[in-house]
Amino acid sequence: MRYSEIIKKYIQNSIRQNIIFLLIIIVLWILMFLNINSTLKSVSAINLNNFNDIMNHYYYHLKYISIINDEKLLKDIGISNFFIIDKSGKIRKTLPESQLDEKNISNTEFYFEIIKKNSGIFIFRNKLFDEKSHIYIGGKFNNSYLIGELDKIRFEIDSNYFLTIQSKSGKIIYSKIPVKEIKKISMINNRIFINNTTNWNDLKLTTSLDITLQLLYNLVISLFMFLIIIWNLVSRVKSTKFIHRFEIEFSKIIKSMESFLKELRILDRQSFLNISVNDFEEILEPIRDENFYFEELNELKEVEFLSIKEMLELFDEISASTEELEATNKELENLYMQLEKAYSDLEESYRKFSSHLSSIAEEYDEITGNHIERVAKYSRLIAEKLGFDPKFVEDIESYAPLHDIGKLMIKHEILNKPGGLTRDEYEEMKKHTIFAERIFGDDERFKMAKNIAMYHHENYNGTGYPFGLKGGEIPIEARIVALADVYDALRSERPYKDEYTHEETYNIITNGDFKTKPDIFDPEVLNIFKKYHKEFDKIYTEYKKKEIINVKKLDRVE
């Protein structure tokens, strides 16, 4: 990726970050107001219900007091004066009589206005709202009006909320805090409140929520994110300038080095013997007096100068001993050929030894026949289709026949027992995987053979033996041989089972039966089998024909 692309990508990422921060700020404010609105509506509904209950509570007791004249009950419910007036405004009854100010009640038009406009339960003040004015609660009962003067009224539910009661015309009847008017959002005592108004009969009930802290928190968070955005912008500008400057300076170094390498490519044997520092003057001149801003580039420039100097010194040494080097190279080449031949001979020796071991194992196990050779061919086919290198393919074909080498240490009567094995015999049989470790030891040359012999009974889903490995814990060569071994075992006749056709075997491996499940195999190996299963059948069929021919030859000899 070029530096210009890096700069562009950096700017794009920075813009995306700033957009994300702005979106977070917007979402925070939206969520805050949604939460405030939801909370305020919920509290308003609660206040409305509570107010309705309180008014009904007062009205019920006013009716009760009007009948039994219970002054004690009057005090209990917080009413200092109680009186009954008729439609004409005359007072018919008072409790207690000594506390009533008639001038305040019957000789004003205020009450006529109240009783004309209210037929049910109502609440009012006897004059404009101030600290000295009284609150009255009343209600129509038969043809009279029951009115009580309240000592105090309590409608608050939380310190963050307060309730304001207004008349239909907007006159404030009650408020915890003195206010002149109610707006959607208001500032009271240096606090910010959001208000919600509901109606009750001819009254307006306004619930106010203090949102000062929430606004403050959101402002702090928003300010912090704005600072990050600003820092991002400033940092982006500085970084962009640095990157751009670095690109310009670095391109000069690169251009000089490319010219240097170009000169080296066109050198032949004759020219490098006569080369001098003057041949590189044109390359070094553009950067010779350049003082780069980045110290690393200055160091890189010095490295280039030093490289040219050392190269010229090396060419001088080479020119003085060219013939000697050619002779040495020839000797090294011969030595390499000898080493390569020795290595090939050693590899061939290991493969021949592997073949001899396979033959021994086959002779020891009378049942398997050509089983190990077929397993080798299946394994080679799978490795090739999986795309492994030629050496791996050759090795797995050579060492796959040794997958059951551990059976050499299993008792012959168990190994070739007709019919099923007992539990103890089966556990003994399973030990052939462990015995393989004793046979191969720690020889690095036999590492693949050891992995195959020890782990080819491990299942991909972790249900195999001897260690219960699963997935990638199992070496790939063992996962390959595992499927090859199962396929040939299903196709082959055994004393305890008949041979299966290719179609039956394919169905068991890919779909499973009571004993074999598809998830015991490596999925990639299983996919190769599904794709090339006909070639498995071809290998088995060819070896089967060879077995039949060999049997016929033996019959003729006998």
Side-chain angles (χ1 to χ4, degrees):
M1 183 181 291
R2 298 188 65 82
Y3 286 105
S4 58
E5 294 176 357
I6 293 174
I7 295 170
K8 185 178 179 181
K9 193 172 184 66
Y10 173 78
I11 293 173
Q12 288 174 347
N13 289 336
S14 180
I15 292 172
R16 289 193 192 100
Q17 287 176 358
N18 290 340
I19 291 173
I20 289 171
F21 282 128
L22 285 173
L23 289 175
I24 290 173
I25 292 171
I26 293 170
V27 169
L28 279 175
W29 283 97
I30 291 172
L31 290 176
M32 185 198 77
F33 281 111
L34 287 175
N35 179 61
I36 289 171
N37 186 58
S38 174
T39 304
L40 188 57
K41 285 184 177 180
S42 175
V43 175
S44 294
I46 294 171
N47 280 351
L48 180 62
N49 290 333
N50 289 344
F51 184 80
N52 185 65
D53 292 342
I54 290 170
M55 295 301 287
N56 285 323
H57 174 78
Y58 276 120
Y59 181 61
Y60 171 79
H61 285 85
L62 289 175
K63 289 191 296 181
Y64 185 76
I65 292 168
S66 68
I67 298 171
I68 63 170
N69 300 328
D70 190 344
E71 292 187 20
K72 184 177 181 302
L73 178 59
L74 204 64
K75 292 180 180 179
D76 291 341
I77 62 175
I79 295 177
S80 58
N81 291 302
F82 168 79
F83 48 92
I84 302 173
I85 62 174
D86 59 18
K87 289 182 179 181
S88 62
K90 292 182 179 180
I91 298 174
R92 297 299 183 186
K93 183 178 182 180
T94 65
L95 282 175
E97 294 183 7
S98 59
Q99 300 298 318
L100 183 63
D101 184 356
E102 284 195 33
K103 291 180 181 180
N104 233 7
I105 305 249
S106 60
N107 296 332
T108 65
E109 294 181 358
F110 184 77
Y111 290 103
F112 290 102
E113 189 71 19
I114 292 296
I115 63 178
K116 284 179 183 177
K117 293 183 178 180
N118 294 282
S119 58
I121 307 171
F122 51 86
I123 185 170
F124 59 92
R125 282 185 180 272
N126 65 334
K127 56 182 178 179
L128 293 177
F129 172 53
D130 58 39
E131 293 182 357
K132 297 180 180 179
S133 59
H134 299 289
I135 298 175
Y136 295 90
I137 186 168
K140 188 176 182 181
F141 181 60
N142 294 331
N143 292 321
S144 302
Y145 290 90
L146 310 178
I147 298 175
E149 181 184 334
L150 298 178
D151 291 334
K152 55 185 175 179
I153 188 168
R154 298 186 184 91
F155 295 117
E156 311 308 322
I157 61 170
D158 192 289
S159 60
N160 288 329
Y161 306 94
F162 68 85
L163 181 69
T164 300
I165 305 171
Q166 296 172 272
S167 65
K168 190 174 183 180
S169 62
K171 179 183 177 181
I172 295 176
I173 298 171
Y174 167 80
S175 179
K176 179 181 178 181
I177 301 175
V179 291
K180 293 181 179 180
E181 59 178 338
I182 300 297
K183 299 178 181 179
K184 184 64 179 177
I185 298 177
S186 55
M187 175 77 76
I188 304 170
N189 294 339
N190 297 321
R191 310 288 292 183
I192 300 173
F193 290 86
I194 186 168
N195 307 307
N196 185 66
T197 301
T198 55
N199 295 319
W200 185 86
N201 291 347
D202 291 330
L203 300 176
K204 295 179 181 178
L205 306 181
T206 300
T207 299
S208 300
L209 169 62
D210 185 351
I211 60 171
T212 308
L213 284 178
Q214 289 173 283
L215 287 174
L216 185 60
Y217 291 152
N218 260 34
L219 282 172
V220 170
I221 294 172
S222 300
L223 180 60
F224 178 72
M225 289 191 175
F226 272 121
L227 290 174
I228 292 176
I229 292 172
I230 293 170
W231 180 83
N232 246 349
L233 293 173
V234 173
S235 176
R236 186 185 72 190
V237 172
K238 289 183 178 179
S239 298
T240 303
K241 288 180 179 178
F242 278 123
I243 293 174
H244 184 65
R245 183 168 184 175
F246 182 81
E247 182 181 20
I248 293 172
E249 294 185 352
F250 187 68
S251 63
K252 291 180 180 180
I253 291 288
I254 292 298
K255 186 177 179 180
S256 175
M257 287 186 170
E258 286 176 348
S259 300
F260 173 49
L261 292 174
K262 185 178 179 181
E263 288 294 325
L264 289 180
R265 291 191 191 100
I266 63 177
L267 289 177
D268 56 21
R269 179 180 174 183
Q270 190 63 34
S271 60
F272 89 76
L273 294 176
N274 301 313
I275 199 169
S276 67
V277 71
N278 295 327
D279 297 307
F280 297 98
E281 283 298 323
E282 186 177 350
I283 297 171
L284 299 177
E285 191 60 33
I287 62 171
R288 184 183 298 279
D289 299 323
E290 183 80 34
N291 186 22
F292 294 112
Y293 177 81
F294 296 95
E295 188 62 32
E296 291 80 2
L297 295 181
N298 281 320
E299 292 175 1
L300 191 59
K301 181 184 75 173
E302 296 299 326
V303 168
E304 184 178 0
F305 290 167
L306 183 61
S307 298
I308 292 174
K309 180 181 177 182
E310 291 182 350
M311 182 199 67
L312 293 173
E313 292 175 357
L314 179 62
F315 281 175
D316 288 340
E317 293 177 7
I318 291 173
S319 62
S321 56
T322 302
E323 293 181 1
E324 183 180 346
L325 283 173
E326 287 180 352
T328 303
N329 285 339
K330 190 172 182 180
E331 291 178 7
L332 288 173
E333 185 177 345
N334 291 335
L335 180 59
Y336 176 79
M337 295 296 292
Q338 293 174 14
L339 287 173
E340 191 176 53
K341 184 177 183 302
Y343 180 79
S344 298
D345 291 343
L346 183 61
E347 286 285 319
E348 186 62 26
S349 298
Y350 271 90
R351 286 199 171 95
K352 285 181 179 179
F353 182 63
S354 171
S355 178
H356 291 321
L357 281 177
S358 301
S359 300
I360 295 170
E362 185 177 8
E363 289 295 327
Y364 186 72
D365 190 349
E366 299 171 359
I367 296 172
T368 56
N370 290 320
H371 167 70
I372 57 176
E373 293 182 23
R374 292 193 297 268
V375 169
K377 295 298 181 184
Y378 303 144
S379 300
R380 179 187 180 92
L381 172 63
I382 295 171
E384 286 176 343
K385 300 304 181 183
L386 283 172
F388 283 100
D389 60 80
K391 184 179 184 307
F392 182 93
V393 173
E394 291 294 331
D395 286 348
I396 199 169
E397 183 180 16
S398 299
Y399 297 133
L402 297 175
H403 65 279
D404 281 334
I405 192 68
K407 288 183 178 179
L408 290 173
M409 303 180 73
I410 302 296
K411 295 179 181 178
H412 200 273
E413 56 269 22
I414 294 177
L415 191 66
N416 294 294
K417 178 182 178 180
L421 300 175
T422 65
R423 181 184 295 274
D424 291 340
E425 288 172 339
Y426 179 65
E427 289 300 320
E428 184 66 25
M429 177 69 79
K430 284 165 61 176
K431 291 180 181 178
H432 76 277
T433 56
I434 304 298
F435 293 152
E437 184 175 18
R438 300 183 191 175
I439 294 172
F440 293 117
D442 296 326
D443 192 329
E444 190 65 25
R445 292 281 181 178
F446 279 117
K447 183 178 180 180
M448 179 182 283
K450 181 179 177 181
N451 285 343
I452 291 171
M454 286 187 67
Y455 305 120
H456 71 284
H457 282 295
E458 297 285 1
N459 293 334
Y460 197 80
N461 61 6
T463 60
Y465 67 87
F467 303 114
L469 303 181
K470 64 187 298 186
E473 297 173 348
I474 308 167
I476 182 60
E477 53 266 33
R479 285 179 261 158
I480 291 172
V481 174
L483 188 142
D485 186 33
V486 170
Y487 175 82
D488 199 77
L490 290 170
R491 292 297 309 272
S492 303
E493 183 180 0
R494 294 286 187 268
Y496 51 83
K497 64 174 275 297
D498 294 329
E499 65 180 61
Y500 289 106
T501 65
H502 173 72
E503 289 73 18
E504 291 172 332
T505 302
Y506 176 83
N507 184 58
I508 290 171
I509 291 175
T510 57
N511 299 317
D513 63 359
F514 70 96
K515 183 178 180 182
T516 303
K517 304 298 179 186
D519 61 355
I520 69 173
F521 303 112
D522 183 317
E524 291 185 16
V525 176
L526 184 60
N527 285 336
I528 292 296
F529 172 74
K530 290 178 180 179
K531 190 173 181 180
Y532 300 100
H533 66 92
K534 290 184 179 179
E535 295 189 34
F536 280 70
D537 184 38
K538 184 178 178 182
I539 293 170
Y540 182 84
T541 303
E542 288 176 356
Y543 272 90
K544 197 69 175 176
K545 288 179 182 178
K546 290 180 183 178
E547 287 182 7
I548 294 171
I549 292 171
N550 290 335
V551 169
K552 289 181 179 179
K553 287 181 180 179
L554 288 173
D555 289 342
R556 289 174 188 171
V557 172
E558 291 177 358

